[in-house]
């Protein structure tokens, strides 16, 4: 089932939840992202919710009364928690039916308002959890500019390996260390080898880095041995979140040959709590176009629909707040900004088609990372490794501090949004996490 533009995308729609109508709101009625929440302080049970302005629609409360449309009602029952996996498994017809019902009930003039108001909870009164039980996590390498920038640091004469333009490169990550925004994690330890040393040493990473990514949550899975054709891949996409794949670059440099990243990547990945559905992103789908001279994809990675609307126009931004800035109540500063559609060499549909072409079976709630998203211009790099040219050119902050890589106490924040004429602005909220000193016990 393809996503169709309908009344839920109308930019003129407004909600009886007043904060959803505020200029610049991430969560207007045209968005309606899904997440898992409970009352602040660990009170109550985890359950599904939908962000609307600075409030949440509690789907558990809503489910007690039900929805008139049978398909929407089935989807609502699957979304009440404690994870969204059951909703993800239902597929696009159910997702679309629930979206239409929620949009209808939340818009100005809805006869549902008196009944639904009791399901509205301020976001200030809740805490967010992981939106799904993530069985498997795969991280890709979709930005050719990032691959070139990093390759140039390690292989100046051959920065981009020949398979990059033909294969959506990826590796299997660690799902157990994925946490939701607000997480604080300890600086990782591992083996590193100094440039002038013959023997590696164990110690805390000194080159801790972020990676600016989007995360794709998988909906219905596929059977083992049954590839997903690229034109069917859209039906497997539930929605997107922000994703920070933290990386220890010094540990990575020592361990990555011959099998790739291991301890340098498995210690922490942080995601935003709200999943923006592909239905909400429909007005921001754009043609998938490669630069002149780039080869066309292999046939299983190519289709007319993917060329027509395979890309997504999303602006992404990275901010930093150091502990010194926090102590002086200074606002975070922007480190970089880029765009998904201009940064990605591969589309989301191509990632699914490639991941499954060998018969790999995906499951509802699996998570794909896009890999670091870097644009072609200076200031669009999605990692400190690129921004500082491998640590040789520190980033200077307005308060006089400087960074090559992140220090203890640093808080890194990602934000993202879609905005264009003729469509309502929608946002992703944020993902933030803070680096703690190395150490601690089990």
């Amino acid at each position: 089932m393809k996503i169709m533009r309908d009344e839920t995308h109308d930019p003129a729609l407004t909600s009886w939840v007043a904060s959803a109508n505020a200029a610049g709101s991430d969560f207007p009625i045209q968005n309606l992202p899904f997440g898992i929440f409970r009352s602040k302080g660990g009170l109550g049970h985890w359950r599904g919710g939908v962000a609307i302005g600075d409030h949440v629609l509690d789907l558990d409360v809503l489910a007690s009364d039900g929805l008139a449309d049978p398909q929407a009602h089935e989807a609502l029952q699957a979304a009440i928690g404690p994870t969204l996996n059951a909703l993800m498994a239902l597929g696009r017809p159910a997702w679309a039916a629930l979206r239409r019902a929620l949009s209808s009930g939340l818009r100005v003039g809805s006869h549902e308002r008196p009944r639904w108001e009791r399901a509205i909870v301020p976001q200030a009164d809740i805490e967010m959890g992981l939106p799904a039980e993530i069985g498997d996590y795969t991280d890709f390498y979709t930005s050719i500019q990032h691959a070139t920038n990093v390759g140039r640091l390690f292989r100046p004469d051959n920065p981009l390996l020949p398979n990059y333009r033909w294969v959506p490169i990826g590796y299997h990550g660690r799902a157990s260390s994925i946490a939701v925004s607000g997480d604080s994690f300890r600086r990782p330890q591992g083996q590193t080898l100094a440039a002038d040393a013959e023997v590696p040493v164990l110690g805390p990473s000194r080159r801790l880095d972020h990676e600016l990514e989007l995360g794709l949550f998988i909906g219905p899975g596929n059977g083992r041995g049954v590839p997903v054709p690229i034109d069917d891949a859209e039906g497997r996409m539930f929605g997107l979140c922000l994703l920070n794949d933290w990386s220890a670059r010094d540990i990575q440099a020592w361990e990555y040959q011959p099998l790739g990243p291991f301890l340098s990547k498995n210690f922490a990945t942080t995601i935003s709590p709200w999943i923006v559905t592909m239905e909400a992103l429909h007005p921001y789908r754009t043609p998938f176009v490669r630069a002149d001279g780039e080869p066309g994809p292999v046939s299983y990675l190519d289709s007319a629909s993917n060329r027509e609307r395979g890309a997504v126009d999303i602006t992404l931004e990275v901010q930093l707040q150091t502990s010194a800035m926090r102590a002086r109540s200074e606002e975070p500063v922007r480190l970089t900004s880029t765009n998904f559609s201009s940064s990605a060499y591969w589309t989301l549909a191509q990632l699914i088609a490639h991941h499954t072409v060998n018969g790999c079976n995906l499951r509802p709630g699996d998570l794909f990372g896009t890999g670091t998203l870097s644009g072609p211009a200076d200031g669009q790099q999605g990692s400190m490794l690129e921004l500082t040219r491998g640590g040789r050119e520190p980033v200077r902050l307005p308060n006089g501090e400087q960074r090559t890589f992140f220090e203890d106490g640093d808080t890194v924040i990602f934000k993202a949004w879609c905005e264009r004429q003729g469509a309502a602005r929608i946002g992703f909220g944020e993902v933030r996490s803070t680096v703690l000193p190395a150490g601690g016990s089990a």
Side-chain angles (χ1 to χ4, degrees):
M1 176 184 176
K2 292 184 178 180
I3 301 171
M4 304 297 293
R5 190 156 186 162
D6 59 25
E7 73 276 4
T8 67
H9 301 105
D10 184 354
L13 281 183
T14 55
S15 173
W16 48 262
V17 180
S19 60
N21 308 320
S25 171
D26 274 354
F27 306 125
I29 194 171
Q30 293 83 358
N31 192 345
L32 304 179
F34 289 87
I36 294 293
F37 78 99
R38 67 182 178 187
S39 300
K40 187 171 284 187
L43 301 177
H45 61 284
W46 293 108
R47 67 262 197 199
V50 169
I52 180 74
D54 58 9
H55 286 68
V56 176
L57 179 67
D58 187 331
L59 298 181
D60 195 20
V61 173
L62 193 64
S64 63
D65 292 329
L67 296 173
D69 179 85
Q71 195 169 40
H73 180 74
E74 178 189 13
L76 176 62
Q77 294 296 321
I80 60 177
T83 72
L84 295 172
N85 296 69
L87 174 64
M88 294 173 178
L90 290 180
R92 177 137 291 122
W95 305 336
L98 180 56
R99 176 179 167 84
R100 288 191 298 270
L102 295 176
S103 175
S104 177
L106 288 168
R107 68 186 61 171
V108 167
S110 170
H111 68 276
E112 300 284 9
R113 178 176 180 175
R115 189 165 62 97
W116 285 28
E117 280 185 318
R118 64 188 181 90
I120 295 294
V121 182
Q123 288 192 32
D125 295 342
I126 67 169
E127 59 188 43
M128 302 297 297
L130 282 174
E133 181 179 347
I134 302 168
D136 286 294
Y137 164 49
T138 302
D139 198 28
F140 285 91
Y141 204 36
T142 65
S143 172
I144 194 170
Q145 193 60 53
H146 172 68
T148 303
N149 291 343
V150 173
R152 191 175 288 123
L153 294 172
F154 297 103
R155 302 179 302 275
D157 298 330
N158 186 31
L160 195 68
L161 297 177
N163 65 343
Y164 187 88
R165 289 182 164 89
W166 301 101
V167 177
I169 303 295
Y171 70 94
H172 294 292
R174 182 75 183 177
S176 66
S177 53
I178 299 173
V180 77
S181 180
D183 177 58
S184 298
F185 66 94
R186 293 197 176 277
R187 179 177 296 274
Q189 301 189 77
Q191 283 191 28
T192 57
L193 182 69
D196 57 351
E198 295 183 0
V199 178
V201 297
L202 175 67
S205 171
R206 297 179 181 275
R207 293 165 70 88
L208 184 64
D209 200 358
H210 72 284
E211 292 195 344
L212 175 60
E213 304 191 27
L214 289 168
L216 168 66
F217 276 98
I218 298 298
N222 58 300
R224 187 179 178 193
V226 183
V228 177
I230 189 167
D231 278 338
D232 292 345
E234 292 281 344
R236 315 287 173 160
M237 302 178 195
F238 180 70
L240 301 180
C241 66
L242 293 166
L243 187 151
N244 186 349
D245 186 37
W246 290 93
S247 300
R249 300 300 186 187
D250 42 1
I251 298 173
Q252 183 179 4
W254 174 234
E255 74 175 6
Y256 85 104
Q257 297 186 69
L259 292 181
F262 183 35
L263 299 188
S264 57
K265 296 277 191 174
N266 69 1
F267 59 92
T269 300
T270 321
I271 64 172
S272 55
W274 295 110
I275 304 176
V276 177
T277 65
M278 300 309 296
E279 280 78 13
L281 292 168
H282 178 69
Y284 296 95
R285 302 300 294 269
T286 63
F288 166 60
V289 181
R290 285 185 175 168
D292 292 341
E294 293 291 333
V298 177
S299 60
Y300 76 97
L301 296 172
D302 187 33
S303 74
S305 61
N306 188 63
R307 292 191 299 272
E308 181 184 356
R309 295 183 60 80
V312 194
D313 183 9
I314 303 172
T315 299
L316 302 105
E317 182 176 278
V318 179
Q319 299 178 351
L320 170 64
Q321 187 183 53
T322 69
S323 56
M325 294 167 62
R326 214 161 32 250
R328 294 193 289 264
S329 299
E330 295 175 359
E331 292 297 314
V333 297
R334 189 175 76 176
L335 292 178
T336 188
S337 179
T338 191
N339 186 281
F340 180 43
S341 63
S342 60
S343 299
Y345 193 78
W346 301 100
T347 68
L348 300 171
Q350 288 172 326
L351 302 187
I352 292 175
H354 183 68
H355 203 306
T356 63
V357 72
N358 67 340
C360 176
N361 51 314
L362 305 179
R363 294 173 293 188
D366 283 357
L367 179 64
F368 287 9
T370 59
T372 306
L373 298 171
S374 298
D378 198 33
Q380 295 180 342
Q381 300 95 329
S383 68
M384 294 296 282
L385 183 68
E386 299 166 87
L387 281 169
T388 66
R389 275 55 171 187
R392 294 189 296 270
E393 300 176 16
V395 172
R396 303 187 186 280
L397 306 178
N399 66 353
E401 292 184 274
Q402 62 182 33
R403 290 290 186 275
T404 51
F405 295 94
F406 294 116
E407 298 183 5
D408 295 345
D410 286 349
T411 297
V412 178
I413 305 156
F414 293 177
K415 297 186 177 184
W417 61 91
C418 303
E419 195 167 18
R420 66 167 47 172
Q421 189 172 6
R425 178 194 186 277
I426 63 173
F428 286 71
E430 66 176 29
V431 56
R432 66 168 61 212
S433 42
T434 301
V435 181
L436 301 177
S441 57

